[in-house]
Amino acid sequence: MTKRSIFASLLLLSSALVAPAALAQDSGAQPPADIPASDPAGETSPAQEEAEPDVSIPGGSDQEIVVTGRYTPNVVRATPEVVSVLSSADIARTGEGDISGSLQRVTGLSVVGGGFVYVRGLGDRYSLALLNGSPLPSPEPLKRVVPLDIFPTNVIDSTLVQKSYSANFPGEFGGGVINLTTKSAPRENFLTFSGGIGWDSETTNELGYTYYGGDADWTGFDDGTRDVPPLLKAALNSGKPILEGADFSLDDLKAIEMELVNAPTTLLQQNDHIPVNWSAGVTGGLTIPVGDGELGIIATAGISNKWRTRDTLQQTSAEQDLSGDPQTSYNRVVTDNRVVVNGLLGLGLEIGEHKLRWTSLYIRDTLKQGSLALGTDANQQGRDILKQNTAWYERQLINTQFVGEFHFDRFKLDLRGAYANSQREAPYERSFTYVRTNLPAEQDPTGDKFVNDLGGNKGDATIAFSDLNEDLWSGGVDLSYEVAPHITATVGYAYSDTHRIAVRRAFQFRASGLPVAVQQLRPDYLLSDASIQLYDITLLETSAQDGTAAFDANLTTHAGYAQVQAEIVPTVNINAGVRYEEAKQTVVPVDLFNTGASAIVATDLNNDYWLPAVTLTWEVAPDMQLRLNGSKTIARPQFRELVAQVYQDPESNRLFRGNPSLTDSELWNAEARYEWYFAKDQRLSVAGFYKSIDNPIEAYTTISDSAINTSYANAPKATLYGAEIEVQKYFALDSLSDSPFWASRRLVLIGNYTYTKSEIKVGEGDTTVINGVVQDAANFFFDGSPLTGQSDHLVNLQIGLEDQDKLSQQTLLLTYASPRVTSRGPSLQPDLLEKPGIQLDFVARQGLTLLNKEIELKFEARNLTGRKYQEVQTSGDNKIFFNRYKLGRTFSLSASLKF
């Protein structure tokens, strides 16, 4: 096999669905007359898009500053905490197809690993994600937090990021909370159809590797090709390990194997013309008068189909200083076909001051992956190794929730209830390894050919089936009372119960004495019915019998809080509260085979906390504010970090194994912020922040049998501090010329910069616990090392032109993140550093009217600088690439038509 040129691509073709703009937030006051009403489709003009975004959070009906008693249309200014809000207009300006892409434009936020948001350099475990104020389950086995790249922008009305803690939010706040508010009811009836196509310079019409699968794969749904066959299903349910012996004869195993032949999931094929990316969708809204109120109905459905090919270089070193040739070095071409299907149905009823909202959301995110790798391993005495993998990962989220906001003069009552289910299935994860010894013919007649003897020495073949199911029930009540003018007291209760069950069953195909001619067969012929029958190929279950093949996890929380928001003296406002939260978190290995021999420590965390928070807001001048915040918050270990079960991450091609001995992290937080709102929707803010963290959870890497493994441990302590600045400014351009073209246009400048510094503290005698065993913390952490995921510098800049009377926007977007640690290095080697670099994007949106129908055209050009993805280790002049590939330049064109 010849070495291929580098192929890679960026996730492409943002969903082009155009959905209704937000309803104005119910703040108890009406917008001034000069603020335009929301357009039902949200796309008529930027001026209309600037209507106040809809924000639904716990105790949300009470979130308005009262220091002056006047209406403040800017949500960022009006809230009593430090927040950033992405409205429909903000999201549309970035052109991103999913919420995680939009969030990377927010001050202090970075997106890591395809959808996981880091706030001020703190890992995703320190970020809390809510949907309409209710918690979300994760369909991702490696995380408890939901990956935000599964949320298409067409279903989201606003995204609120709150960085200073307040007692109305869950205590597992860490770095901040990200609250997604779904589209609410429209004010007018509408129907919008949309679609788009996209091209990637490193993927589209280029070489990649894929496999056939099933006829319906393009939809993201399996047509039955990957169903677990009957004999295997019965064997899996038997409670016995699937091994040759008393429970399963050789003939039984052969019968099961022949059901698994399934050539459409086995044979990897070269494709010299990877297809274009595309998306399609429909959104509709309807308003019906009901008595003294209105019933609004909104529905949306969409699908996107994207391709990405990466030609990666993946290396490891056995030396502490990374000297000499790499221990392993592989060139791996990976082709992903990702299909996201989404649907939302929302009902909103407004009767006087009362609001009722019922929302149901469905998201299905499917990844079909094929990869081919060629490389060397120092443990294989100069052999060339060829690895082929095929996989199918289904992630699904179903969420239904009810929110009621009732206003009774001085009383305000908020009620929330939600049920969510997430699932992740990975059937037929297949891997084949072929070996070429490169020995002369007299020593090995097949020395110049790749062979697989299914014996483990010259190749192997494996298959695995994984299943994850998580249910999350949650509810809450918030009661606010206006004690006196400008003094409001709030009390609340919140409950959540999360239950996750995950199972992974893994197998090897084994044989001895295979003829050389058979060893050279391609994978589907190697494991054909004829080969299985003639050469006694057997099935060997490798699922560990120590309790790591399955686990049962629970997290139940009860919380109550009291909070007061008051004007102490004119222009000085305080928002102070305390939350009491108790949680019981368990992760129990499931003994699938009733051996009673589990060596895995079960996790049983039962903790309660008092979590105070106070924010002082001083209106220095009519357009200036100074905020001071102090709080205590916590961060619990995620299920994935606690589970000793092994998973392979399809993004990084690494194995992950948890540590059941992890404990909660506790954080003390402080922040000071100056805000200047010098004009409508224009502002300057400068802030400094500090965090002290006890027992932060950090990832560390080990290498075993040439496989890269990542696990987790509690570091003794860490500190994090930094500063950030943000500015948003508009410049009218009507003075440039008398031409009508410039009469209503303006220049938009939006920029932010965040500097963050973090240090892990490791002293003499400090320890950490790994699977029940106390160990020296210095064996895992270097004193003074930064926290994983933390970039010293984050820069976001948007420069654009937009028309204030109609939809016409052209925006350049620049993003920069300095290198950040992804994991502690193995065996005291240097840490693994990711180098995100600079990304430059261009987005243009143009509204047209054709045959009395409104049309929006959108053009996107991403990664114009052609940056690479690099994850490296460096020691002096020595460098090891854990993962390196080129990111393609991507271009897409989409259109929407509103009726």
Side-chain angles (χ1 to χ4, degrees):
M1 173 182 174
T2 59
K3 183 176 179 181
R4 301 293 182 183
S5 57
I6 294 178
F7 298 90
S9 71
L10 205 60
L11 290 180
L12 176 64
L13 192 55
S14 302
S15 174
L17 294 171
V18 181
L23 294 176
Q25 182 186 12
D26 188 5
S27 59
Q30 294 301 315
D34 62 343
I35 298 180
S38 295
D39 176 77
E43 300 297 344
T44 299
S45 73
Q48 289 179 320
E49 287 175 338
E50 289 169 7
E52 186 178 353
D54 193 11
V55 178
S56 179
I57 58 176
S61 60
D62 188 42
Q63 299 298 302
E64 183 182 353
I65 280 188
V66 293
V67 290
T68 62
R70 69 171 183 269
Y71 175 78
T72 305
N74 190 302
V75 176
V76 175
R77 180 180 180 183
T79 55
E81 301 295 337
V82 177
V83 304
S84 297
V85 177
L86 287 177
S87 65
S88 294
D90 299 323
I91 295 170
R93 183 180 288 114
T94 68
E96 301 286 353
D98 61 71
I99 288 301
S100 68
S102 299
L103 282 171
Q104 68 182 341
R105 316 292 178 181
V106 175
T107 310
L109 269 61
S110 56
V111 178
V112 180
F116 297 101
V117 176
Y118 284 34
V119 181
R120 289 171 173 166
L122 289 169
D124 56 277
R125 74 176 59 79
Y126 298 101
S127 301
L128 175 68
L130 302 176
L131 184 68
N132 297 327
S134 297
L136 283 165
S138 176
E140 176 57 58
L142 297 176
K143 308 287 183 180
R144 192 176 75 241
V145 294
V146 64
L148 297 181
D149 63 343
I150 71 172
F151 286 92
T153 55
N154 67 290
V155 303
I156 301 300
D157 183 79
S158 72
T159 305
L160 178 142
V161 180
Q162 182 169 319
K163 302 172 188 175
S164 63
Y165 178 63
S166 55
N168 55 303
F169 280 112
E172 198 173 352
F173 192 92
V177 64
I178 299 166
N179 185 83
L180 309 178
T181 301
T182 55
K183 298 287 186 182
S184 187
R187 292 299 184 187
E188 298 178 10
N189 303 340
F190 74 97
L191 180 64
T192 301
F193 294 93
S194 59
I197 59 172
W199 176 80
D200 186 305
S201 63
E202 298 295 324
T203 300
T204 309
N205 206 37
E206 299 288 343
L207 178 145
Y209 293 98
T210 186
Y211 64 97
Y212 182 78
D215 291 333
D217 284 3
W218 66 274
T219 67
F221 292 84
D222 180 56
D223 62 359
T225 299
R226 298 175 180 85
D227 288 349
V228 179
L231 292 179
L232 178 60
K233 182 180 292 187
L236 294 173
N237 294 332
S238 69
K240 303 293 183 181
I242 302 176
L243 304 167
E244 185 178 359
D247 300 306
F248 299 95
S249 67
L250 179 58
D251 287 340
D252 292 334
L253 297 178
K254 284 184 176 181
I256 294 173
E257 287 178 85
M258 285 188 285
E259 285 188 332
L260 293 174
V261 168
N262 204 337
T265 67
T266 305
L267 182 60
L268 190 69
Q269 296 176 301
Q270 177 178 318
N271 185 336
D272 292 319
H273 303 284
I274 295 296
V276 298
N277 301 330
W278 58 271
S279 67
V282 58
T283 303
L286 180 66
T287 300
I288 305 172
V290 178
D292 296 332
E294 288 184 336
L295 172 65
I297 304 172
I298 188 168
T300 181
I303 181 173
S304 67
N305 189 310
K306 308 174 184 178
W307 291 85
R308 177 178 68 160
T309 298
R310 294 166 289 161
D311 189 343
T312 68
L313 173 63
Q314 297 178 325
Q315 301 173 321
T316 62
S317 175
E319 303 300 327
Q320 188 167 329
D321 64 355
L322 313 180
S323 60
D325 293 331
Q327 174 79 7
T328 62
S329 183
Y330 285 93
N331 284 96
R332 184 186 308 271
V333 178
V334 185
T335 299
D336 296 334
N337 182 203
R338 186 181 181 194
V339 183
V340 178
V341 176
N342 68 85
L344 178 141
L345 176 62
L347 302 179
L349 178 63
E350 294 187 28
I351 301 178
E353 292 294 307
H354 309 310
K355 276 180 147 184
L356 301 176
R357 183 204 302 259
W358 174 77
T359 306
S360 285
L361 175 68
Y362 174 83
I363 298 175
R364 183 181 179 87
D365 185 348
T366 303
L367 179 67
K368 179 181 180 180
Q369 185 177 87
S371 70
L372 189 65
L374 176 63
T376 59
D377 185 335
N379 295 325
Q380 295 292 324
Q381 296 102 30
R383 300 174 174 182
D384 289 333
I385 302 170
L386 184 69
K387 294 187 177 183
Q388 172 199 298
N389 295 82
T390 56
W392 172 270
Y393 304 98
E394 301 173 1
R395 301 186 300 177
Q396 181 172 285
L397 172 65
I398 299 174
N399 181 282
T400 184
Q401 58 182 225
F402 169 80
V403 177
E405 298 176 359
F406 305 94
H407 292 190
F408 304 97
D409 194 19
R410 298 167 68 180
F411 280 99
K412 298 179 182 179
L413 175 66
D414 288 2
L415 299 175
R416 298 172 187 273
Y419 166 74
N421 171 263
S422 66
Q423 298 178 20
R424 193 252 198 190
E425 294 184 16
Y428 289 92
E429 280 187 276
R430 291 187 181 271
S431 176
F432 290 85
T433 300
Y434 286 73
V435 174
R436 183 171 60 196
T437 65
N438 298 316
L439 294 173
E442 57 269 20
Q443 296 183 40
D444 184 354
T446 62
D448 61 343
K449 297 179 177 62
F450 282 103
V451 297
N452 187 347
D453 66 359
L454 296 180
N457 182 38
K458 285 187 178 181
D460 58 39
T462 65
I463 189 170
F465 295 82
S466 302
D467 192 13
L468 178 148
N469 186 83
E470 179 169 308
D471 293 305
L472 191 158
W473 295 89
S474 63
V477 56
D478 303 273
L479 179 63
S480 299
Y481 179 67
E482 187 179 357
V483 179
H486 308 322
I487 301 177
T488 301
T490 305
V491 295
Y493 166 77
Y495 165 82
S496 70
D497 181 77
T498 307
H499 182 207
R500 175 183 289 190
I501 297 176
V503 181
R504 187 176 193 272
R505 303 292 290 270
F507 306 88
Q508 283 188 342
F509 296 89
R510 284 299 195 199
S512 60
L514 282 182
V516 171
V518 177
Q519 295 179 32
Q520 297 179 63
L521 293 176
R522 71 189 199 190
D524 56 330
Y525 291 166
L526 180 66
L527 296 180
S528 66
D529 290 352
S531 298
I532 291 169
Q533 287 285 26
L534 290 173
Y535 306 111
D536 290 339
I537 299 175
T538 188
L539 196 66
L540 172 68
E541 179 160 14
T542 56
S543 306
Q545 298 183 39
D546 59 1
T548 60
F551 70 89
D552 191 321
N554 281 90
L555 174 62
T556 303
T557 66
H558 296 272
Y561 76 92
Q563 183 171 276
V564 62
Q565 182 179 331
E567 183 181 67
I568 304 175
V569 295
T571 74
V572 178
N573 174 274
I574 189 172
N575 189 41
V578 64
R579 186 182 188 92
Y580 174 76
E581 187 166 298
E582 63 176 23
K584 182 175 178 61
Q585 186 173 10
T586 60
V587 177
V588 180
V590 176
D591 188 0
L592 290 175
F593 310 121
N594 300 312
T595 63
S598 175
I600 302 301
V601 178
T603 299
D604 189 2
L605 298 175
N606 194 352
N607 297 317
D608 61 276
Y609 300 94
W610 289 96
L611 304 172
V614 59
T615 300
L616 189 71
T617 303
W618 174 28
E619 190 173 16
V620 182
D623 55 1
M624 295 183 185
Q625 292 181 166
L626 180 66
R627 299 187 197 264
L628 299 174
N629 171 266
S631 64
K632 179 186 179 182
T633 56
I634 59 172
R636 300 185 181 93
Q638 302 177 20
F639 289 147
R640 173 62 253 147
E641 296 167 342
L642 292 166
V643 176
Q645 187 180 109
V646 174
Y647 276 98
Q648 180 163 335
D649 177 22
E651 180 71 20
S652 63
N653 193 43
R654 284 184 205 153
L655 299 176
F656 283 77
R657 181 184 176 103
N659 173 14
S661 300
L662 295 176
T663 60
D664 295 352
S665 305
E666 298 184 36
L667 299 88
W668 289 95
N669 317 283
E671 178 163 1
R673 174 177 293 264
Y674 165 77
E675 301 169 355
W676 178 24
Y677 298 89
F678 47 83
K680 180 179 180 295
D681 294 328
Q682 301 178 64
R683 63 184 182 271
L684 168 70
S685 65
V686 181
F689 52 89
Y690 174 83
K691 295 179 183 292
S692 176
I693 312 174
D694 293 328
N695 300 314
I697 298 171
E698 289 287 288
Y700 68 91
T701 297
T702 59
I703 299 177
S704 176
D705 294 330
S706 301
I708 304 171
N709 298 272
T710 298
S711 191
Y712 308 90
N714 286 104
K717 189 178 178 63
T719 58
L720 180 145
Y721 60 89
E724 59 188 30
I725 182 170
E726 179 181 17
V727 63
Q728 181 166 326
K729 174 65 178 173
Y730 301 134
F731 296 91
L733 300 177
D734 54 351
S735 61
L736 292 180
S737 170
D738 294 333
S739 169
F741 177 84
W742 298 104
S744 57
R745 294 187 185 272
R746 65 182 181 181
L747 175 67
V748 180
L749 295 178
I750 302 174
N752 58 71
Y753 166 72
T754 303
Y755 170 77
T756 309
K757 188 72 174 178
S758 64
E759 292 184 354
I760 294 176
K761 307 291 186 180
V762 183
E764 186 175 351
D766 284 338
T767 60
T768 189
V769 183
I770 309 294
N771 198 23
V773 179
V774 178
Q775 300 195 41
D776 188 347
N779 292 335
F780 298 87
F781 310 105
F782 293 114
D783 183 56
S785 295
L787 290 165
T788 53
Q790 181 252 307
S791 292
D792 287 355
H793 308 281
L794 294 174
V795 178
N796 291 289
L797 181 63
Q798 298 182 35
I799 303 174
L801 293 175
E802 66 180 25
D803 196 308
Q804 299 179 76
D805 294 339
K806 60 184 179 181
L807 177 59
S808 179
Q809 293 179 341
Q810 301 81 36
T811 309
L812 277 172
L813 305 102
L814 182 143
T815 301
Y816 169 75
S818 61
R820 56 195 175 208
V821 175
T822 58
S823 181
R824 310 268 77 99
S827 305
L828 300 181
Q829 290 180 355
D831 290 338
L832 280 63
L833 283 178
E834 178 188 355
K835 297 183 176 181
I838 297 175
Q839 178 167 325
L840 180 64
D841 301 333
F842 173 74
V843 178
R845 302 168 62 220
Q846 184 66 47
L848 304 171
T849 300
L850 182 65
L851 300 178
N852 294 322
K853 297 293 187 292
E854 294 181 20
I855 299 173
E856 180 193 343
L857 299 178
K858 181 168 65 174
F859 170 75
E860 302 170 58
R862 304 284 182 181
N863 191 32
L864 295 175
T865 55
R867 70 184 179 95
K868 295 180 180 179
Y869 177 88
Q870 296 186 73
E871 188 178 8
V872 303
Q873 286 180 288
T874 304
S875 178
D877 294 332
N878 301 325
K879 182 178 289 188
I880 291 292
F881 289 98
F882 255 68
N883 206 354
R884 183 188 71 183
Y885 54 89
K886 187 176 181 181
L887 294 166
R889 295 176 177 86
T890 61
F891 304 90
S892 63
L893 181 65
S894 59
S896 64
L897 174 64
K898 188 182 75 173
F899 291 88

